[in-house]
Amino acid sequence: MLTPNQIKPFILHPELVVSHAAINYFYNSNLYLNDDTLMPLVLQRLKQIQKGETFYLYKARLFTQSKETISEIMELLQAADMDVNIKYHLANILIHSDLSLLEPYLDVLAQSEDLNKRIQTRMNIANLENDVLFDAFEHFIKEAYGKYFNDIDTFYGDQLIHELAQRKSVSPDHILHVLDSYDPDDYSYEIIFYAQLAGEMQLESAIPLLCSFLGDESDVLPETTVRALVRIGTESVITTLAEKYAAASEKYYRLFASEVFGRIKLPASEKALLALLPNEDDITNATRLADGLCELGSTIGIPLVHELLENGYDSGLLNLKETLYAHCIMSDALLPQRNIWKLELEEAEKRRAKRTNEIDRLFKGKSSVPMLAPSKKMDKIGRNDPCPCGSSKKYKKCCSNA
């Protein structure tokens, strides 16, 4: 199994599919926390991007910043020739950065109304007393009732939850009590936001309850739970989930549970995936488990993934060939088809870049775009619609979480 230090240099790999896989390795885990060596590599790779190429900068939005990276981002934001979507994601990185690092630039950042508003929101939340902060969280949950999830100010909610978790001002017993009151017929968002809080607080005692939510028929609660379990990121998550996975009867339980294993970079995850994949009859779940082995950096799992790729997998879910190819490069696995896959992926990237350039030409000069505004706006973006940033991901898997 590859280590984080072995993966990290591949952020600079000249092939975007490999660079993206390396960034994804950290983005989907909790390994980016307090690691300020990642962002300099991301910014260095960003400067090598050619016109028409799509770089998944949004996956670095929560990476730890330093004085140097903030300074570099500010320079890039003020560059006249910088792509507007890149500026959007750079601004998003600033929004989520340590407030103390932003202090020297507050006057400049205030020139963007949207950016200034979000930073002020964070500053206001940081200045709340503990009891007022908790009351604001409870009020936020109450006000969300009856709304579509897309219509909720999740940025505000995320900041409340982050601040509560940092202070540890909500007792674990209260969180467990709320989670234990889960009622699938209750349309409140309380369970969802408390599940997120349990993850932010890395509350191991909440693991059994969180694992039980993965079979919920909505997608918001299971997706929130996946992120919470990954944020906790301990071996207890893996052992609990592996036991429940084998016995799961709910229609969607395994679909969401299979996302967790590859994101927690522990030997127990590799052991679980190697045991579960050969016994998984559902092609979609098997595809997710195979992707997890690649995402984990499992070298001994390569034959299992290759076998699934050859015999047929759920290509509508993800591109397993792309995933396995990137993993083979990083692990230096010399599969016979590797060079063929390289050529196929290069051709696909050329076609994607050509389409991007054509779209850019159509919209060039149409209007001036503020620092935080995407280059294209939609009246309403569904959670399962393609993300307008051009990542080819569903909106709920991309900028919906920005």
Side-chain angles (χ1 to χ4, degrees), residues 53 60 79 88 129 134 177 194 225 236 255 262 282 300 321 326 343 356 393:
E53 291 183 331
Y88 171 79
E129 298 292 336
F134 180 73
H177 173 73
Y194 268 90
T225 299
S236 296
L255 179 67
D282 183 279
I300 60 177
K321 182 186 295 184
L343 293 174
T356 301
K393 302 282 186 180

Side-chain angles (χ1 to χ4, degrees), residues 313-319 394:
Y313 71 99
D314 188 348
S315 59
L317 179 69
L318 54 87
N319 188 340
K394 290 183 178 180

Side-chain angles (χ1 to χ4, degrees), residues 255-317:
L255 179 67
F256 287 103
S258 59
E259 285 195 61
V260 177
F261 298 105
R263 300 185 184 191
I264 298 178
K265 317 300 184 183
L266 295 174
S269 300
E270 182 179 45
K271 182 179 178 181
L273 286 169
L274 292 172
L276 293 172
L277 179 54
N279 297 313
E280 180 54 78
D281 296 327
D282 183 279
I283 193 65
T284 298
N285 297 338
T287 300
R288 187 85 77 183
L289 293 173
D291 183 64
L293 281 169
C294 293
E295 190 175 12
L296 193 63
S298 170
T299 52
I300 60 177
I302 289 176
L304 279 176
V305 180
H306 187 216
E307 181 181 358
L308 182 65
L309 180 61
E310 291 292 300
N311 294 334
Y313 71 99
D314 188 348
S315 59
L317 179 69

